[in-house]
Amino acid sequence: MAEHMAQIPFLDLRAAYLAIQPEIDAAVQRVMASGWYIQGPEVEAFENAYAAYCGAAHCVGVANGLDALILSLRALNIGPGDEVIVPSHTFVATWLAVSAVGATPIPVEPNAQTYNVDPALVVAAITPRTRGIIAVHLYGQPADLDPLLEIAEAYKLALIEDAAQAHGATYKGRRVGAHGDVVCWSFYPGKNLGALGDGGAITTNREDIAEKVRVLGNYGSSKKYVNDEQGTNSRLDPIQAAILAAKLEHLDDWTKRRRDIAGRYSDALQGVITPVVPNWAEPVWHLYVIQHPKRDVLMAKLADEGISTLIHYPIAPHRQKAYAELAYAPGAFPLAERLADDMLSLPIGPQMPEAHVERVIETVNRVAPTL
Ligand SMILES: *Cc1c(COP(=O)(O)O)cnc(C)c1O
């Protein structure tokens, strides 16, 4: 790396804190001084604000995004012997949730343009054991929900949305958050709405599911020391809830900046494949992912010039050792495998300085076409 060039981080979480430090500090102080450290008014206030933001009737805070998925599947009574259709190309947590309840993840290849699950292939994967479909709004771009809702209705399946990367994204003009039976959120620090620690939630219009997730996440108890279910402890921390409520006020501004950067990239980048956005989708650009057949060389050259990039994700879930039991051979899901080889995520974030955007564009355009 040349001396004069500052490192361009992939995402600057400290800058995100400093941007609204007085608000976050005040939120944390308020909780500390309140004497109320589990559940209570701060969690309730955030749940109400986030439900309203998503256009959902209910929001229930949980400990993290993976728990949001697991508790949703449990609330839908999905378990051993059941099959759940999942994308072959996703973060492994989508699959882990299915395995955690004892059900089997059934992978389906994505649409090669949008990277989200292909509804036509979903139908082909349905068997008498299928109980649900998990649609992932990958990289912040909503999956094609209308055909998935039709399939779910026709085959009596639950539609679960993994929206961990899609806070504020819209599908046909309406925010993601209540299209399917239940929508699962992560507030992991690097997500578009991120806590300063772990956090998660579900949103839904179904009162039965909201109630069941709340009970399951609180030891299976709706009344203290009375246990109706073998639940677990998975609750949103009040300090994180207060921080998230403060951050939610800024989410749309931050999304706008992400959209500006994505627009600049898509207009200017050369020698790489840039993302395709269907006309019904308004993505929130959790990640800006390009493809290049010599991805590893490109990544190394960008690193030499001080530009940090990441791969989402380098190994498809069916090729992970964790899923050796499913015995999928190499090539079983060729599109997911190719994407794992070719994809590269460029720096993007609400606090990314303009000069960094320009340098990423200039460097990619100088390097990528020559590889
Ligand atoms: C981050 C993420 C999760 C898991 O969320 P955690 O809060 O880290 O448990 C699940 N699915 C997707 C698509 C994610 O990006």
Side-chain angles (χ1 to χ4, degrees), residues 214-235:
R214 197 179 289 288
V215 167
L216 285 170
N218 192 37
Y219 311 114
S221 165
S222 46
K223 192 169 166 221
K224 205 162 190 180
Y225 306 128
V226 179
N227 298 81
D228 304 324
E229 312 252 6
Q230 294 176 8
T232 183
N233 177 349
S234 182
R235 302 179 293 220

Side-chain angles (χ1 to χ4, degrees), residues 64-66 69 90-91 93-94 136 162 164-165 186 188 191 199 313:
N64 55 65
L66 178 56
L69 288 161
T90 181
F91 179 52
T94 314
V136 183
D162 180 344
Q165 305 186 355
S186 165
Y188 177 85
K191 309 292 189 189
Y313 299 89

Side-chain angles (χ1 to χ4, degrees), residues 278-310:
N279 58 13
W280 41 255
E282 250 198 307
V284 291
W285 302 104
H286 173 60
L287 297 169
Y288 188 93
V289 180
I290 59 170
Q291 290 183 58
H292 193 287
K294 292 191 178 151
R295 188 269 317 276
D296 291 340
V297 186
L298 177 60
M299 189 177 191
K301 294 215 179 238
L302 293 176
D304 284 347
E305 304 224 16
I307 297 172
S308 307
T309 59
L310 291 174

